[in-house]
Amino acid sequence: MVSVVQNVAIDCADAYGLALFWSRVTGRSMHPEDRPGDDETQVLLAEGPVLHFNQVPEAKKDKNRIHLCLRPETSREQEVERLLGLGAAFVADHREPDGTGWVVLADPEGNEFCVLRSASDRAAAGPEAHAPTA
């Protein structure tokens, strides 16, 4: 017997607004019944668990203990620029001169997430640069 991850719950101040941001990030739809002002909303991912946004009264205070890591279909650099255009904020740059590494961004409510290298970025770097995390 095992447990299946049903959703990844993200506490936030504006459930609908944050779900809308993540819907644009992932290119996936929000739940069809979600409306502005809802206390709970969801982004329906193609595979894996649902992103569930739960409106809470308290503000985010510290660094996330759990975060999402994104592997873009385009290059890492193109995706970082796209996400900044959607309203993400730049947090930290962990890119290395050899092309490995990642970029840390934050969503509009300050939740950190990473943008990893794409499959094409990794393939262009050669077999020695295929670390599983970046």
Side-chain angles (χ1 to χ4, degrees):
M1 302 288 289
V2 298
S3 293
V4 175
V5 176
Q6 174 66 34
N7 62 53
V8 176
I10 301 168
D11 288 351
C12 56
D14 177 8
Y16 185 86
L18 200 56
L20 185 59
F21 170 81
W22 282 101
S23 174
R24 292 175 177 154
V25 167
T26 62
R28 302 301 300 174
S29 298
M30 293 174 59
H31 190 284
E33 295 178 9
D34 290 346
R35 301 286 179 263
D38 285 352
D39 291 345
E40 295 184 25
T41 57
Q42 295 183 335
V43 173
L44 308 172
L45 301 177
E47 297 177 22
V50 168
L51 294 181
H52 180 88
F53 299 89
N54 184 43
Q55 203 158 297
V56 297
E58 65 274 0
K60 179 183 176 298
K61 295 181 183 176
D62 298 313
K63 181 182 180 296
N64 302 4
R65 296 295 299 250
I66 295 175
H67 64 268
L68 301 177
C69 292
L70 307 178
R71 179 132 2 244
E73 293 176 347
T74 62
S75 75
R76 177 185 53 210
E77 281 39 301
Q78 289 172 314
E79 185 66 352
V80 166
E81 290 305 313
R82 184 182 81 86
L83 297 174
L84 291 171
L86 290 177
F90 183 85
V91 175
D93 191 342
H94 295 283
R95 291 174 284 195
E96 299 295 333
D98 67 356
T100 60
W102 61 93
V103 176
V104 181
L105 300 178
D107 70 20
E109 291 202 16
N111 300 300
E112 297 91 1
F113 61 96
C114 296
V115 181
L116 309 175
R117 293 181 298 154
S118 68
S120 61
D121 289 337
R122 292 164 51 102
E128 70 281 351
H130 285 269
T133 61

